[in-house]
Amino acid sequence: MHQKKLDDFRQSKLDEMTISDMQQELSEGHVTSEELVLMYFENISLRDQTIHAVLEINPDALQIAQALDFERKHKGPRSALHGIPVLVKDNMDTADKMHTSAGSRALKDHYALKDAKVVEQLRKAGAVILGKTNMTEWANFLSDKLPNGFSSRGGQTKNPYGSFEVGGSSSGSAAAVASNLAAAALGTETSGSIINPAMQNSLVGIKPTVGLISRQGIIPVSHTQDIPGPLARTIKDAVAVFASLIAVDPNDPITVLAEPFEKYDWSIHFKEGGLQGVKLGIPRMLFEDNITDEQRVLFENALEELRACGAEIIEDVDLGADQEDLGFAVLLHEFKANANDYLGKSNPLNSVRSLEDVLAYNTKHPQEMLRYGQNLMEQANSTTGKLNEREYIEALERNRYLAAEQGISDTLKQVGADALILPKDYGFNIGAAAGFPSIAVPYGLTESKEPFGITFTGKAFSEPQLIEYAYAFEQATKGRIKP
């Protein structure tokens, strides 16, 4: 950088700075939001050449930051996010000069006409939308052979820790935050797409209860399971972003359930003793056959840390179902209906109006689009899109019963546990199918230097408790390790 002051700040202070640290620097006049944007641009230009996490930069970011600096000076900050640069996943509509494409070249020229509700909420809080992140194309609903983090528009996002899985489908959001290319980022989850990349990149990831945050303006997969959430380096950072997203949205009717949390004080749950007397159940059946020896050792160490924090561990909890019991039919049927709805209502200048159009575009450009095929999208397109098939209705009811009612709610009650605890993202399908919340917390690296962490999962709208547990564990272990 030409400005020595900024380059010194960038190299000596910016990496791993928390949002509250940035706010203090901003309030004391040591740095401006405009300068934060410039420093993150520099990091992106230097570090992202090998990571490929950022798909495009917001051309207006610098001027937005300048306006927010002016506002801070004359009116004060709007919120904890005022002037803070954040990235958003490329399936989130932004009514600006950036595209919204779900990573697909079929939508490379698509401009959204309106902000997604979560983007609107970020802007309202005073955050600077720094750019869009790469993602697994169509949120992993193109082909079952598609690698996590690959898209035809952005190429392959790589894990900044080495030749490990980067995680999907919020791959770019996770890799960017892990690499200190932004203060935080938004991802989305249908089934594991926040928790998995958080684990693979030594990050905190909050997958909220379905109903707490609006999905309006996000290119969808499943209206029963989709949910946006933050990826950040600390619990407090993740909660700062998470809190800003909560709002009742008439365009997403289930968000009426968010009303009690719209002005909620999440800071009361930042307790170092938050695990004292808490009972955590381990459904070992979800991971015993798949966990590696290295992961097992780290998980057992994490359990000892939890006990040292005052938690009681309840062993061998039986959820009555495993991930194989949850059918894929719900996602297959809902994807067609939801994709057609989104594309059909998109910018009139967008020539791609349906899932059929996407398939046709891909077939017409096989070298660019069909490197890994499109079998999942073809399967989804073979459904009627009317959501009236017996296969769909039966799968929907079965998933909700096995995962939510029987799997988590009844089990927690029967064994007297407050939440479930799992290594990495094992068992994520259960919480995803239930629409229940999970929080990923980093816990060091394996001997091969691959990130590891644990996941807290609870019943619907138990985010206050999960945040308390996750914060206490984070403070006791300091498990985040910079790549």
Side-chain angles (χ1 to χ4, degrees), residues 51-356:
I51 302 300
H52 308 300
V54 179
L55 195 54
E56 63 180 303
I57 288 294
N58 182 0
D60 296 325
L62 269 180
Q63 293 181 336
I64 291 170
Q66 289 171 343
L68 289 165
D69 286 330
F70 179 85
E71 184 178 324
R72 177 187 294 273
K73 182 177 179 180
H74 293 278
K75 296 181 181 179
R78 301 182 194 180
S79 78
L81 293 185
H82 189 107
I84 303 298
V86 299
L87 291 160
V88 300
K89 189 175 177 180
D90 184 44
N91 58 353
M92 299 177 178
D93 285 349
T94 55
D96 53 22
K97 296 169 185 172
M98 293 188 290
H99 305 84
T100 303
S101 70
S104 173
R105 289 181 63 84
L107 294 180
K108 62 182 173 60
D109 298 320
H110 171 233
Y111 291 98
L113 296 177
K114 181 182 177 183
D115 280 340
K117 182 63 175 180
V118 289
V119 174
E120 178 186 314
Q121 289 293 113
L122 285 177
R123 295 196 204 274
K124 182 180 176 183
V128 180
I129 310 297
L130 194 64
K132 292 281 186 80
T133 58
N134 197 20
M135 58 182 283
T136 315
E137 190 164 339
W138 290 104
N140 247 336
F141 234 80
L142 178 64
S143 165
D144 59 8
K145 296 178 178 61
L146 194 69
N148 280 330
F150 180 84
S151 76
S152 59
R153 186 163 170 243
Q156 180 65 56
T157 298
K158 295 182 181 179
N159 192 318
Y161 288 84
S163 56
F164 308 112
E165 272 281 337
V166 68
S169 65
S170 304
S171 325
S173 293
V177 175
S179 303
N180 287 283
L181 308 184
L186 293 192
T188 60
E189 173 153 343
T190 303
S191 190
S193 293
I194 290 174
I195 299 301
N196 175 247
M199 288 297 175
Q200 290 302 118
N201 292 272
S202 195
L203 295 177
V204 173
I206 299 179
K207 182 265 176 192
T209 304
V210 173
L212 204 49
I213 298 174
S214 173
R215 289 83 54 83
Q216 177 271 321
I218 298 175
I219 297 177
V221 173
S222 163
H223 57 270
T224 55
Q225 291 186 203
D226 288 353
I227 190 73
L231 289 148
R233 292 181 289 270
T234 69
I235 294 290
K236 283 188 175 181
D237 284 1
V239 171
V241 177
F242 167 68
S244 77
L245 305 178
I246 298 170
V248 175
D249 180 8
N251 294 307
D252 190 356
I254 196 173
T255 58
V256 70
L257 302 175
E259 187 173 356
F261 296 97
E262 280 190 299
K263 296 182 180 179
Y264 191 81
D265 181 9
W266 296 94
S267 67
I268 63 174
H269 299 290
F270 298 143
K271 299 177 182 178
E272 292 191 12
L275 281 163
Q276 193 68 44
V278 172
K279 296 181 179 180
L280 301 171
I282 309 176
R284 290 187 181 270
M285 57 178 285
L286 297 181
F287 62 86
E288 276 292 273
D289 294 337
N290 299 307
I291 192 169
T292 68
D293 290 341
E294 281 188 90
Q295 292 170 357
R296 189 187 306 278
V297 169
L298 283 169
F299 183 56
E300 295 303 327
N301 290 343
L303 294 180
E304 286 306 311
E305 296 274 12
L306 290 165
R307 291 187 182 99
C309 290
E312 177 185 338
I313 305 299
I314 301 173
E315 287 282 356
D316 297 323
V317 170
D318 185 0
L319 296 179
D322 60 28
Q323 297 187 104
E324 284 66 40
D325 293 324
L326 303 176
F328 194 58
V330 171
L331 306 188
L332 277 175
H333 285 77
E334 291 186 354
F335 181 62
K336 180 175 183 177
N338 293 328
N340 282 344
D341 176 67
Y342 175 88
L343 293 168
K345 294 174 181 175
S346 65
N347 189 328
L349 296 178
N350 176 29
S351 60
V352 178
R353 313 301 302 175
S354 68
L355 206 55
E356 196 75 49

Side-chain angles (χ1 to χ4, degrees), residues 43-53 156-160 175 179:
N43 276 359
I44 290 168
S45 71
L46 293 171
R47 300 174 183 178
D48 203 42
Q49 295 180 42
T50 55
I51 302 300
H52 308 300
Q156 180 65 56
T157 298
K158 295 182 181 179
N159 192 318
S179 303

